[in-house]
Amino acid sequence: MIELSRVQDLRQQVTAWKQAGLRVGFVPTMGNLHAGHLSLIDLASQKADRVISSVFVNPLQFGEGEDYERYPRTLEADKAKLSSVKCDALFAPSVAEMYAQGQTQTQVLAAPNLSKIWEGASRPGHFDGVATIVAKLFNLVQPDVAIFGQKDYQQWCVLNQMVADLNWPIELIKAPIQRDLDGLALSSRNQFLNQTQRKIAPRLYLELQQIAHAITSDERVDFNVLLQAAKQNLLDQGFDQVDYIAIVDPLSLQALKQRQDTMTILAVARLGSTRLLDNIELDLR
């Protein structure tokens, strides 16, 4: 695996691959890699001749009071994991390399209709920071295909819209959520859970499954009653807070009041200071 930290070196490597007629796949990450990340690399290797992964903890997407400084940085371990799969190059720049002036004067405005609700309401400016860094990375890597995980479902929608709006010739692929044996969606933030919280955490996915079952089995189920009950169930089972739990249109992310052919159930709940994200996609066709 080639290790790169400078923009100039990354561009030279990508140019060489492109000139050789090779298809380039890209998996951007913030590091602290786990099996979920590695599954994205495996998928990228099936779709491309060469795979680049980036490790960069992007300060632009962290709001005031969020865990930017606390976010785990495990670059040496990440290198070992990437070397064990079909990753051809790692791009791990410094903040100064990506933001030469300390910040970027030009930023990408994420589609407001997708970015101001749900996570965007809880974390103002978050998706603008995500869109900006992904746009920068796309410009550097020039990927033919890029892989993102379904766990960050709203992020996927925002980035998919950005690629469409800006006419980038990039195939975006949404990879399935990778889960632990008890159903908890894999996340770098899971390591912040204590033993008691870790036992409670899988109940978020179980609650989503129960909502999905209720929708599937009852055409006239009242979404509002269903969601209120789910929120109370999570609190009763030990969650400290439910930021939101919603049944939405999978493209617009607007809340639904009744069944339709395709739906996505989104949820974020907190255990202590740790926010757990999860979702389920439903297709009734």
Side-chain angles (χ1 to χ4, degrees):
M1 183 179 72
I2 303 165
E3 297 179 15
L4 307 164
S5 61
R6 297 195 309 158
V7 164
Q8 179 182 354
D9 296 335
L10 172 64
R11 282 189 164 137
Q12 288 178 348
Q13 184 59 67
V14 170
T15 297
W17 283 340
K18 293 282 188 176
Q19 288 176 342
L22 299 175
R23 181 172 165 86
V24 176
F26 181 44
V27 179
T29 82
M30 292 206 301
N32 197 228
L33 304 181
H34 50 66
H37 294 109
L38 300 185
S39 72
L40 305 184
I41 301 289
D42 286 338
L43 182 55
S45 69
Q46 298 170 30
K47 303 291 183 178
D49 302 304
R50 296 290 183 272
V51 176
I52 298 176
S53 183
S54 62
V55 169
F56 181 67
V57 183
N58 174 36
L60 281 188
Q61 67 193 71
F62 288 82
E64 185 177 349
E66 292 189 335
D67 56 355
Y68 173 69
E69 297 298 337
R70 183 174 171 234
Y71 195 88
R73 292 154 170 85
T74 55
L75 186 57
E76 292 306 312
D78 294 342
K79 289 178 183 178
K81 290 175 182 177
L82 290 172
S83 295
S84 71
V85 292
K86 295 179 180 179
C87 184
D88 298 286
L90 164 65
F91 179 53
S94 64
V95 173
E97 184 72 12
M98 293 303 288
Y99 301 118
Q101 307 302 321
Q103 288 286 351
T104 180
Q105 298 302 306
T106 301
Q107 296 192 30
V108 176
L109 177 66
N113 61 310
L114 296 175
S115 66
K116 301 299 184 185
I117 54 180
W118 313 126
E119 278 299 276
S122 298
R123 307 176 67 188
H126 168 69
F127 287 116
D128 293 343
V130 171
T132 299
I133 189 60
V134 173
K136 285 171 71 73
L137 289 168
F138 280 176
N139 184 46
L140 294 174
V141 176
Q142 300 285 306
D144 297 288
V145 58
I147 315 291
F148 293 87
Q150 182 189 320
K151 184 177 72 69
D152 297 299
Y153 188 89
Q154 187 173 1
Q155 172 180 278
W156 156 262
C157 292
V158 167
L159 295 176
N160 196 44
Q161 187 67 53
M162 178 178 74
V163 167
D165 286 344
L166 299 181
N167 298 109
W168 271 321
I170 302 171
E171 179 188 0
L172 255 59
I173 295 178
K174 172 162 52 69
I177 297 174
Q178 298 296 307
R179 300 183 181 278
D180 216 328
L181 294 177
D182 56 9
L184 178 63
L186 297 183
S187 170
S188 297
R189 289 188 170 95
N190 290 351
Q191 64 192 284
F192 296 137
L193 300 171
N194 62 34
Q195 286 187 339
T196 300
Q197 292 168 337
R198 180 60 185 81
K199 291 178 181 178
I200 296 170
R203 297 173 186 173
L204 179 59
Y205 181 49
L206 290 176
E207 198 64 41
L208 293 183
Q209 288 179 306
Q210 290 177 5
I211 293 172
H213 177 71
I215 294 172
T216 302
S217 57
D218 183 356
E219 291 183 7
R220 290 180 289 185
V221 65
D222 186 316
F223 281 13
N224 186 56
V225 171
L226 187 61
L227 294 173
Q228 288 301 319
K231 181 177 181 179
Q232 190 59 53
N233 286 343
L234 290 171
L235 295 173
D236 291 345
Q237 292 177 88
F239 284 87
D240 297 299
Q241 182 177 325
V242 179
D243 284 11
Y244 57 84
I245 184 164
I247 305 162
V248 305
D249 180 90
L251 298 179
S252 71
L253 299 181
Q254 293 301 306
L256 298 173
K257 295 182 179 180
Q258 59 188 20
R259 296 198 333 170
Q260 61 182 37
D261 286 346
T262 58
M263 295 165 278
T264 302
I265 309 168
L266 302 175
V268 171
R270 297 177 186 251
L271 286 169
S273 61
T274 304
R275 298 177 79 247
L276 300 178
L277 286 76
D278 209 340
N279 63 81
I280 288 180
E281 292 183 289
L282 281 178
D283 188 341
L284 302 184
R285 291 172 294 186

